[in-house]
Amino acid sequence: MTFRLPIIAGVLGLLSWSGATFAEEITGRVADASRVVSIGDSITEIVYALGEEGRLVGRDSTSTYPDAASKLPDVGYMRALSPEGVLSINPTAIIAVEGSGPKETIEVLKKASVPFVFVPEKYTAASVAEKIRTVGKALGADAKAEKLAKQVEADLAVAQAETKEITARKRVLFILSAKDGKIMGSGTKTAANGIIELAGAENAITEFEGYKPLTDEGIITAKPDVILVMDRGGDHAAANAALLANRAIAATPAGEAKNIVRMNGQLLLGFGPRAAKAAHDLARAVYGNEVSP
């Protein structure tokens, strides 16, 4: 079994491990879902969307939507979990997005016989419904999950149809981080790449997978029409003026047109129940009135 750890909403490296086998990993309903810890913002959002939030006794630090989730005990960052933090709230099950860890923590929790459900993360329209059904099955809420999954599938189909008639596809460069003037962009097989495609645009970077630092030459050669960034604070944020002050960015079509789009990171990269809204909002920001009503 191989787990690839794609970067979302604040992860600054692409990590992977191979050969891990988890005896407690299951694909069906957990025996006791009365005290669940959700790991991954989309997993927590799905639990709330299913109306099953009463089962939650903890969540990871990325899980801040809806607002009520923030009131739950925080067991730490999804890829830097400590076994003590998770076990301290006595969970009967953990539902975690694929890539949660680290491996050492998972091994300790395995020895503590805490059942796991690892939910696949693929960054496609189909994968959103798959995540919903997986979470619903684990909680014994299959009927609710099927209803929500079908609604999300329908909403995503509508969102994708909005850009169907657009022939001149815009090239979008997603910038994960611009700390100290160092631009880190998204290649393929990332949440950013997935949402750009769902919005009917093209990722300007296809030469590599994951998130990597970009050279000035790489930025200029990418020729993005749009710069896409998460609307957030902290050390990795960058104001529009700072981005445009970068000579390489300024030399691109996006820089010359000052075309920078900012979106909430959780909405943009979450690939949860609001994925259709994210695709629609991004499409409108990129194409404006070209998007079908």
Side-chain angles (χ1 to χ4, degrees), residues 5 17 77-82 99-107:
L5 311 187
W17 69 69
Y77 178 59
M78 60 183 291
R79 289 179 175 83
L81 300 170
S82 70
S100 300
K103 176 183 176 181
E104 293 75 17
T105 292
I106 304 301
E107 293 289 354

Side-chain angles (χ1 to χ4, degrees), residues 24 32 47 89 93 111 130 133 136 154 161 165 182 186 204 236 250-251 254 280 282 288:
E24 282 71 37
D32 183 357
V47 174
I89 53 179
K111 292 177 181 178
E130 181 183 359
R133 292 186 174 104
E165 302 302 320
K182 298 177 181 178
S186 167
H236 299 286
H280 168 78
L282 180 56

Side-chain angles (χ1 to χ4, degrees), residues 16-292:
S16 66
W17 69 69
S18 302
T21 300
F22 303 114
E24 282 71 37
E25 181 182 349
I26 61 174
T27 56
R29 181 175 180 175
V30 299
D32 183 357
S34 61
R35 295 182 61 81
V36 174
V37 172
S38 59
I39 307 297
D41 56 351
S42 63
I43 305 304
T44 303
E45 186 175 338
I46 289 169
V47 174
Y48 274 88
L50 292 174
E52 297 292 329
E53 64 273 16
R55 300 175 183 271
L56 292 176
V57 295
R59 48 89 192 184
D60 77 301
S61 60
T62 72
S63 299
T64 58
Y65 182 90
D67 290 341
S70 297
K71 299 178 182 179
L72 292 168
D74 184 346
V75 299
Y77 178 59
M78 60 183 291
R79 289 179 175 83
L81 300 170
S82 70
E84 295 82 6
V86 177
L87 293 174
S88 67
I89 53 179
N90 192 31
T92 59
I94 297 171
I95 303 179
V97 70
E98 181 182 3
S100 300
K103 176 183 176 181
E104 293 75 17
T105 292
I106 304 301
E107 293 289 354
V108 171
L109 294 174
K110 178 184 69 174
K111 292 177 181 178
S113 299
V114 180
F116 275 84
V117 175
F118 279 97
V119 183
E121 186 76 281
K122 299 176 183 176
Y123 308 128
T124 64
S127 72
V128 180
E130 181 183 359
K131 287 166 74 174
I132 291 169
R133 292 186 174 104
T134 300
V135 173
K137 188 175 184 179
L139 297 175
D142 302 74
K144 289 181 179 180
E146 188 60 29
K147 181 179 180 180
L148 178 60
K150 287 182 176 179
Q151 182 60 61
V152 170
E153 287 174 329
D155 291 345
L156 280 166
V158 170
Q160 290 177 284
E162 292 176 334
T163 58
K164 186 177 180 180
E165 302 302 320
I166 296 175
T167 55
R169 301 287 171 169
K170 296 289 184 68
R171 294 172 60 82
V172 178
L173 171 60
F174 175 77
I175 295 178
L176 176 69
S177 171
K179 187 177 181 181
D180 299 326
K182 298 177 181 178
I183 305 299
M184 182 170 288
S186 167
T188 60
K189 296 187 178 181
T190 65
N193 181 82
I195 199 64
I196 288 169
E197 291 182 347
L198 285 181
E202 296 179 352
N203 188 354
I205 303 292
T206 57
E207 292 75 21
F208 58 80
E209 298 178 2
Y211 297 78
K212 295 182 180 180
L214 300 177
T215 64
D216 288 352
E217 181 182 1
I219 294 171
I220 294 171
T221 302
K223 296 181 180 178
D225 301 297
V226 178
I227 301 295
L228 175 62
V229 295
M230 291 185 290
D231 192 7
R232 61 178 182 172
D235 292 341
H236 299 286
N240 286 9
L243 290 172
L244 294 172
N246 181 293
R247 294 183 179 181
I249 292 176
T252 66
E256 292 174 356
K258 296 181 174 57
N259 196 356
I260 299 175
V261 172
R262 291 180 177 273
M263 286 183 61
N264 175 272
Q266 261 192 336
L267 172 64
L268 182 67
L269 305 180
F271 274 80
R274 296 180 294 161
K277 174 176 171 54
H280 168 78
D281 290 356
L282 180 56
R284 288 303 299 265
V286 171
Y287 293 112
N289 292 333
E290 291 184 74
V291 175
S292 301

